[in-house]
Amino acid sequence: MKGRKKFSRPVLAAGLAALLLAGGVAGFRGIRRAWRARLWQQSETLLQKGIEAIGEKRWREAEEDLRKSLEIRQGLLDPGHPGTVPVLHNLGLACAGLGRMPEAERIFRRTVVLLHRAAEDRGYCGAAARASLGSLNYEQDRSRRAEALHLRALFLLFRQPLEGGLAWMTLRDLARNFLGREEFRRAQSLLENGLVMMERRGARDDQERGKLLYLLGRACRRQEDWTRAERHHRDSLALMEKLADPPLEWLEKNCSALMEICEREGRSEEREAICLRGLAAVSKAKGEGHPETLAYLVTLADLQGKRNDLAGAARWLSQAVEVYRRSPGIPCERRGLFLSQLAVQHNRCGRYRLSRLAALHGLRAIPIRAKKRSPAW
């Protein structure tokens, strides 16, 4: 055809080779992107498994999953990239759960440094890292450093829409720090402001609200404001009883505090009613006959015995003995304590032979190490 340029064979070959090369490079990049996306998804899956294991306190399993996830991310991302922060933070929590506090502290500090370098330390992740580091310092009795970190975390959290219960957990840890240092007025002021903030922001976390109310009642008790203390403890107990899976440790603390207040004011019937509420809540959450009900059963027997109701005391004692027999996994210290209390109640009911047997078994249940440490031995 006239006017059409003709190319030589070498030029055509070179052009075809260039096209093939470009297609090969594009294909390689597509394969590489798909491979990286697959690895990232695998890292996310391991991270979620680790978080679930932390929630169920399976610390060693969580550590294994999180270390695998961190290894994958470090291979995909540049050194110092903030994308490793979620894995590092949860890995620090797992190490703290395993009791490796120095390693956990190093991981949390590394998290804060990474966020600071990426100019992302003023957000939620920076607040979470500081809150965890503050809790770690509190557990190691470094209360001043813990206070500074918790205050900084709260400042960052209240500057943005709240996510989950981290703000209330941080506030609770800071209040515990103040209570441990016997700064009761500061703790009371902090907790009251925190409860007001929960109402204003419409937070519906009844468990955290119940814990804050318990700590507020404890601060009032230490200042001998018994009326307000009783009101806060009753509100906290009522909130926790509504939960499907109540925190038994905090529920027991509320019951003990209320029984102490009632005993101080000589209200034995109210004290017994509170003990029955605690027993019903534990039975509902864990089932009847759970080892956690032992303390309530023995306390009820003690209250009935003090009122000279020996039949009622014997009834509660028989239930306690049945629970004890069906629970072989009770720790030695708790077995010894229960049997010593059982001996006292049998003696009060006039069952002297059973009292001697319970006391003998209680001595056998105490570990040898505890006997050597005790000055009575």
Side-chain angles (χ1 to χ4, degrees):
M1 203 172 185
K2 205 170 184 181
R4 186 171 180 179
K5 190 175 180 180
K6 294 183 179 181
F7 294 98
S8 62
R9 287 186 179 181
V11 174
L12 290 172
L16 182 59
L19 286 173
L20 289 173
L21 181 61
V25 169
F28 173 75
R29 286 177 178 170
I31 293 170
R32 186 169 177 266
R33 279 196 298 270
W35 173 72
R36 289 172 66 88
R38 184 177 178 183
L39 282 178
W40 185 266
Q41 186 62 41
Q42 185 180 351
S43 173
E44 283 289 330
T45 303
L46 288 168
L47 174 60
Q48 293 303 318
K49 286 177 63 179
I51 292 173
E52 290 176 7
I54 287 173
E56 297 172 4
K57 296 185 178 180
R58 293 181 280 116
W59 307 112
R60 200 163 298 282
E61 183 180 337
E63 183 189 11
E64 292 175 2
D65 291 333
L66 292 167
R67 287 197 184 278
K68 290 176 184 176
S69 177
L70 181 62
E71 184 180 354
I72 293 171
R73 293 199 180 199
Q74 286 176 338
L76 294 174
L77 303 173
D78 297 329
H81 195 282
T84 58
V85 164
V87 186
L88 282 171
H89 182 258
N90 287 285
L91 182 59
L93 293 176
C95 291
L98 289 168
R100 302 204 300 265
M101 299 302 178
E103 184 179 356
E105 185 173 358
R106 285 197 303 272
I107 291 172
F108 287 135
R109 289 190 180 280
R110 182 181 168 191
T111 304
V112 174
V113 169
L114 286 175
L115 289 169
H116 180 71
R117 287 177 181 172
E120 296 181 9
D121 61 331
R122 295 179 179 272
Y124 180 81
C125 290
R130 285 179 172 84
S132 299
L133 193 55
S135 300
L136 204 64
N137 278 279
Y138 173 75
E139 295 295 334
Q140 295 176 317
D141 295 328
R142 293 181 289 198
S143 59
R144 295 294 177 184
R145 292 175 66 181
E147 178 186 349
L149 288 161
H150 281 142
L151 286 172
R152 179 62 178 167
L154 283 174
F155 172 75
L156 294 174
L157 286 167
F158 285 127
R159 287 179 60 191
Q160 55 190 324
L162 297 182
E163 297 184 31
L166 178 61
W168 318 124
M169 290 167 60
T170 307
L171 193 144
R172 168 166 51 87
D173 288 341
L174 182 58
R176 287 171 59 198
N177 192 349
F178 289 154
L179 288 170
R181 294 189 340 226
E182 299 187 356
E183 298 178 10
F184 305 123
R185 289 192 181 277
R186 287 186 73 186
Q188 182 178 349
S189 175
L190 176 71
L191 290 163
E192 287 173 349
N193 290 329
L195 289 166
V196 170
M197 186 71 72
M198 287 187 87
E199 290 180 2
R200 286 181 180 175
R201 299 215 174 189
R204 300 297 180 188
D205 194 341
D206 288 342
Q207 181 167 321
E208 286 300 326
R209 184 178 179 82
K211 291 179 180 180
L212 293 180
L213 283 168
Y214 165 76
L215 291 174
L216 184 56
R218 180 180 164 192
C220 292
R221 269 191 297 136
R222 297 302 297 270
Q223 297 176 79
E224 298 186 355
D225 188 353
W226 304 106
T227 304
R228 294 182 67 186
E230 182 176 0
R231 185 174 73 248
H232 294 315
H233 284 306
R234 286 188 182 278
D235 292 343
S236 175
L237 183 60
L239 280 173
M240 291 187 177
E241 283 176 335
K242 294 177 183 177
L243 299 173
D245 186 15
L248 296 181
E249 179 187 357
W250 292 83
L251 192 144
E252 187 175 350
K253 286 178 180 179
N254 271 310
C255 290
S256 299
L258 285 169
M259 287 192 289
E260 178 188 341
I261 294 171
C262 292
E263 184 181 15
R264 183 181 177 276
E265 298 178 357
R267 294 178 290 168
S268 58
E269 292 183 359
E270 287 188 36
R271 187 183 174 201
E272 186 176 343
I274 291 165
C275 192
L276 284 169
R277 284 175 66 183
L279 177 63
V282 174
S283 299
K284 179 182 176 182
K286 298 292 183 179
E288 294 185 3
H290 194 271
E292 294 287 344
T293 61
L294 271 178
Y296 294 102
L297 292 170
V298 174
T299 304
L300 285 167
D302 181 52
L303 291 172
Q304 297 281 357
K306 287 179 179 178
R307 289 166 50 191
N308 293 324
D309 185 357
L310 301 184
R315 186 176 68 253
W316 291 117
L317 278 180
S318 62
Q319 290 187 32
V321 170
E322 286 301 317
V323 172
Y324 176 79
R325 286 176 178 170
R326 293 198 304 266
S327 308
I330 301 175
C332 292
E333 291 82 358
R334 292 186 61 186
R335 293 169 78 92
L337 178 62
F338 165 70
L339 287 168
S340 63
Q341 293 172 330
L342 188 63
V344 171
Q345 299 307 319
H346 277 312
N347 188 54
R348 181 174 288 164
C349 294
R351 304 172 176 177
Y352 303 114
R353 181 172 173 275
L354 291 175
S355 174
R356 287 195 298 271
L357 285 173
L360 180 61
H361 286 294
L363 290 177
R364 289 176 179 172
I366 299 174
I368 300 298
R369 287 177 297 174
K371 292 180 182 179
K372 289 182 179 179
R373 283 198 300 266
S374 175
W377 294 94

